């Protein structure tokens, strides 16, 4: 009590120093746990929250927080938690995913604080903690170790109980004396106590919570089954002549618990492996970093204390905590999780580095220019976090079915007990237990989200960010792809398209001469000439190089046959030659005798554009090119990439109308654009992909984002989406077939409790394991 009051007074002192719009505390300090009050400090919000786009500052602003959830085991739990969060004053929206164990909460600081909406679910048995909180990671590890201990205890006791039960199965009547039989039963009862009191504790805690709050979850029928089995077996042990009979089921009980815990533990491990990319991504930033102090020495400080303009030293093996510019040193950087670039990239002095990328080879000093939510890393994490709690259509259907299905389980169990009671009360109870156990809806609830989360995680590791899970379902049925041209199929800069020269000089010689002169300029066309010539080419000897701003360059070079000494490169007017009509930018090269060469530039297609288009067409997908550029430029690009359906001069509205006409023909359309002026058509397509780092990630209308801009990923993404939906359908069919076969057997008393437990555990494992096959995705596969 004293600790809570002291924490409350500390929060009051913090609040007193805040602006009026940030001053809020719960009326009663005892309503919020003291350990949660630290999250009420607005300076802590950036660690697990983002201010919603378009939300004004002040009393009406809203924040979106990403939290992990403990104590949740099924889809019914996620619905209960969502309803409890939405009932809190100030919570605008809440989405909870049972598969990822995460929640997204949108709230208004003027009405509530994190300590309040985190505390309310605790009464229901759910623990919320910031997704990036280091303490929550320690708690998760402790819970994993405790689950392992529960499983080991159940396994050890099961083996001993089976050993004591074996004589009853294999001995002939009269081989075992009544005293020995009684001793074996007592030994089995004693060995079952640790299983019931320790290994089964989570099931009973959750079941009691459900009864207390008049809700239902998967653990309620499981706990009922365990309790009934143990009660009947205990009664038969103490009073074998009672109406419940003399049969004991300690072997079935311990075996069932062992199989159930095995399934949960393996499911947890598989989920961590296949759907843990978000956790891996959100925990890449270091907790501390070396910062340059006023005394010129580096000292290690908490990463959250960094400010813009700070100079930090990042050692090999450390992640960069913020966006910045290298001011000393050079190194190689791993940016695979951010851009999809699989190989390390060199970064020298003056180069920019991104938060979340890894320093691989040498220590470098970096000046910070962007922190927290302003970094590309934070935007990517936010996109992935939203995807983790997004529920596809099939998953929402399974969630809605889960709770009524659990009520059906309870009614079916009661019906089985009533049906068999007059014939054999013991058999009636065991049939009821088998129904309670075997009809658990785990497989049904996991069928869709397990596959979807696996796919989203694997795509993220290959440089593709999933913004909306629902789009994975749609992507599997795509038969038409529309490309934007500029920035999507083409590189950001210009490329050399054609070279024309005077008869006395070859195109190769002219390009080498022009590239040598262009190295003295930073003009984009000069950079394009240097790139076209190649970095390894011999540089001509040039003297007295001068650049005339906005006009061109001139120099002196050793004269040779057919070429003079004074050279000029730039516009036609600057070179003193006649301008020739063209379809794009042109650069001229001249000497004192007149025109020497002309270089025509145009947009250069990406290196993997032709291959991507060819692969899409090989899959039977129609490819369209719509662009706002001049029709002749679009036609040239279409010929280069072998695209037959194209149209130039399109406004955003014209693109949207064209796409809607295709949709009216029954086509499933995927739009691939740069996210700048393609907002309406990206939003209107069945599915959409935004390419490149230039996309404003938080505002893009797309379903997927490819920061690295690799067009070669498109065929693989479509193939992987089809594989994902194939796995989802397999999981749903398995869940339906499993229940259709096992429920009649359980009701008929033909399914013992231990076999029901094995079936339930294997059904969940099969669903998660089938989804894990999607982890074999490789770019260019499928």
């Amino acid at each position: 009590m004293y600790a809570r009051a002291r924490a409350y007074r500390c929060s009051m002192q913090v609040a007193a120093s805040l602006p009026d719009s940030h001053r809020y505390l719960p009326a009663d300090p005892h309503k919020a746990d003291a350990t949660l009050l630290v999250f009420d400090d607005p300076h802590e919000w950036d660690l697990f929250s983002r201010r919603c786009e378009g939300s004004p500052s002040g009393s009406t602003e809203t924040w979106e927080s990403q939290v992990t959830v403990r104590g949740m085991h099924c889809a019914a739990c996620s619905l209960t938690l969502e309803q409890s969060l939405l009932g809190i004053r100030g919570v605008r929206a809440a989405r909870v995913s049972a598969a990822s164990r995460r929640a997204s909460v949108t709230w208004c600081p003027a009405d509530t604080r994190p300590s309040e909406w985190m505390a309310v679910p605790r009464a229901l048995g759910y623990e919320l903690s910031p997704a990036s909180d280091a303490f929550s990671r320690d708690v998760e590890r402790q819970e994993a170790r405790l689950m392992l201990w529960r499983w080991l205890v159940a396994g050890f006791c099961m083996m001993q109980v089976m050993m004591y039960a074996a004589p009853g199965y294999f001995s002939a009547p009269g081989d075992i004396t009544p005293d020995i039989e009684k001793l074996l039963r007592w030994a089995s009862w004693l060995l079952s106590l640790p299983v019931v009191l320790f290994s089964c504790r989570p099931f009973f805690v959750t079941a009691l919570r459900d009864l207390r709050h008049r809700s239902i979850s998967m653990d309620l029928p499981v706990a009922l089954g365990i309790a009934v089995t143990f009660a009947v077996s205990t009664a038969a042990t103490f009073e074998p002549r009672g109406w419940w009979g003399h049969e004991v089921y300690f072997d079935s009980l311990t075996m069932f618990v062992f199989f159930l815990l095995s399934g949960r533990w393996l499911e947890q491990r598989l989920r961590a492996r296949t759907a843990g990319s978000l956790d891996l991504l959100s925990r890449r930033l270091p907790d501390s970093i070396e910062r340059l102090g006023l005394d010129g020495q580096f000292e290690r400080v908490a990463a959250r204390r960094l400010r813009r303009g700070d100079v930090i030293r990042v050692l090999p093996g450390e992640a960069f905590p913020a966006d910045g510019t290298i001011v000393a040193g050079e190194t190689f950087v791993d940016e695979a999780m951010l851009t999809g670039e699989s190989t390390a990239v060199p970064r020298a002095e003056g180069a920019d580095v991104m938060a979340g990328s890894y320093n691989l080879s040498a220590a470098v000093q970096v000046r910070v220019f962007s922190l927290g939510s302003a970094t590309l890393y934070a935007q990517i994490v936010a996109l992935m976090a939203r995807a983790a709690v997004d529920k596809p259509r099939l998953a929402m259907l399974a969630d809605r079915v889960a709770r009524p299905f659990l009520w059906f389980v309870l009614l079916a169990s009661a019906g089985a007990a009533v049906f068999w009671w007059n014939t054999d009360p013991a058999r009636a109870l065991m049939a009821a237990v088998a129904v309670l156990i075997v009809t658990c809806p785990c497989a049904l609830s996991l069928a869709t989200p397990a596959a979807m989360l696996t796919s989203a995680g694997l795509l993220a590791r290959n440089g593709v960010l999933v913004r909306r899970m629902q789009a994975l379902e749609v992507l599997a049925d795509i038969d038409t792809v529309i490309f934007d041209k500029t920035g999507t199929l083409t590189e950001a800069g210009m490329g050399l398209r054609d070279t024309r020269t005077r008869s006395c000089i070859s195109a190769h010689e002219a390009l080498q001469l022009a590239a040598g002169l262009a190295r003295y300029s930073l003009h984009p066309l000069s950079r394009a000439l240097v790139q076209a010539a190649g970095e390894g080419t011999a540089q001509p000897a040039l003297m007295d190089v001068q650049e005339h701003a906005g006009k061109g360059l001139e120099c002196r070079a050793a004269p040779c046959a057919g070429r003079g000494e004074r050279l000029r490169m730039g516009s036609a007017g600057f070179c003193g030659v006649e301008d020739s009509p063209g379809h794009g930018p042109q650069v001229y090269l001249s000497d004192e005798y007149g025109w020497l060469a002309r270089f025509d530039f145009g947009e250069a297609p990406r290196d993997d554009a032709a291959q991507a288009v060819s692969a899409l067409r090989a899959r039977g997908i129609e490819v369209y090119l719509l662009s706002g550029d001049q029709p002749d430029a679009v036609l040239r690009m279409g010929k280069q990439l072998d695209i037959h359906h194209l149209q130039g001069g399109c406004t955003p509205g014209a693109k949207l109308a064209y796409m809607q006409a295709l949709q009216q023909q029954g086509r499933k359309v995927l739009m691939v654009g740069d996210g700048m002026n393609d907002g309406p058509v990206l939003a209107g397509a069945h599915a959409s992909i935004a390419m490149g780092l230039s996309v404003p990630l938080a505002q893009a209308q797309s379903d997927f984002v490819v920061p690295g801009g690799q067009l070669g990923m498109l065929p693989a993404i479509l193939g992987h989406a089809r594989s994902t939906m194939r796995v989802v359908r397999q999981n749903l069919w398995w869940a339906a077939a499993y229940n259709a076969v096992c429920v009649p057997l359980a009701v008929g008393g033909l399914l013992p409790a231990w076999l029901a437990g094995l079936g339930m555990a294997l059904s969940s494992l099969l669903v998660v394991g089938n989804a894990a096959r999607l982890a074999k995705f490789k770019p260019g596969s499928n």
Side-chain angles (χ1 to χ4, degrees), residues 74-86:
C74 65
C77 294
S78 67
L79 290 176
T80 300
L81 181 55
E82 277 186 5
Q83 291 171 358
S84 68
L85 288 170
L86 291 172

Side-chain angles (χ1 to χ4, degrees), residues 184-220:
L184 292 176
R185 290 190 175 197
W186 273 93
S188 298
W189 180 78
L190 286 172
L191 285 168
S192 298
L193 283 176
V195 177
V196 173
L197 299 178
F198 176 67
S199 298
C200 296
R201 187 176 185 276
F203 306 125
F204 291 123
V205 169
T206 306
L208 289 174
R209 177 197 69 192
D210 292 339
L211 293 174
R212 191 164 54 248
H213 296 283
R214 299 178 182 177
S215 61
I216 189 171
S217 71
M218 179 194 75
D219 285 348
L220 182 57

